[in-house]
Amino acid sequence: MEKRDYIKIRISITRKENWKRICKEKNITLTNLITASVENRILEDERKKILEFIEKQDNIFIKIETNINQIARIANAQKFISSKELNYFQSQLKNITELKEKQNEIITKIYSLIADDS
């Protein structure tokens, strides 16, 4: 969308400086701050934090899945796993599955918020 129009507003110098400080802290433009605030949208820095959070969550699950694969490899190599270890392993798999489902629900909600924001 091409930006060709202007809106002039009058504000105090201190308020303007405060807004500029906020923009500098968030590494966004004053236009982005005002537009996002008026349109009740997610700010760019918040969007980046959300995406970083999603990536971090994904990395955590990758590590867990790698550990599960290592345990399975050991069990396959030994051709034996005790019933106690098997029960614990299945319990952990169930917990991971539940956590992954919750994570996917949260990520779906986050993506829908971001999509509504664009």
Side-chain angles (χ1 to χ4, degrees), residues 99-113:
L99 289 171
K100 192 72 167 178
E101 287 173 2
K102 288 179 185 177
Q103 177 200 19
N104 289 342
E105 289 173 16
I106 292 169
I107 289 173
T108 301
K109 289 177 185 177
I110 289 171
Y111 275 135
S112 69
L113 287 172

Side-chain angles (χ1 to χ4, degrees), residues 10-61:
R10 291 188 314 223
I11 59 172
S12 68
I13 292 172
T14 55
R15 177 170 281 167
K16 180 181 177 184
E17 292 305 315
N18 187 34
W19 288 3
K20 288 171 78 176
R21 180 187 50 75
I22 292 169
C23 291
K24 187 175 182 178
E25 289 172 1
K26 294 183 175 286
N27 196 26
I28 58 174
T29 65
L30 185 56
T31 299
N32 183 260
L33 175 70
I34 294 170
T35 304
S37 297
V38 169
E39 295 176 358
N40 199 22
R41 295 174 54 193
I42 297 174
L43 296 173
E44 278 304 309
D45 71 313
E46 292 170 342
R47 185 184 314 268
K48 288 176 188 174
K49 287 178 185 175
I50 289 169
L51 293 174
E52 287 171 6
F53 166 78
I54 292 170
E55 185 176 322
K56 183 178 177 182
Q57 290 298 104
D58 201 35
N59 289 339
I60 290 170
F61 278 104

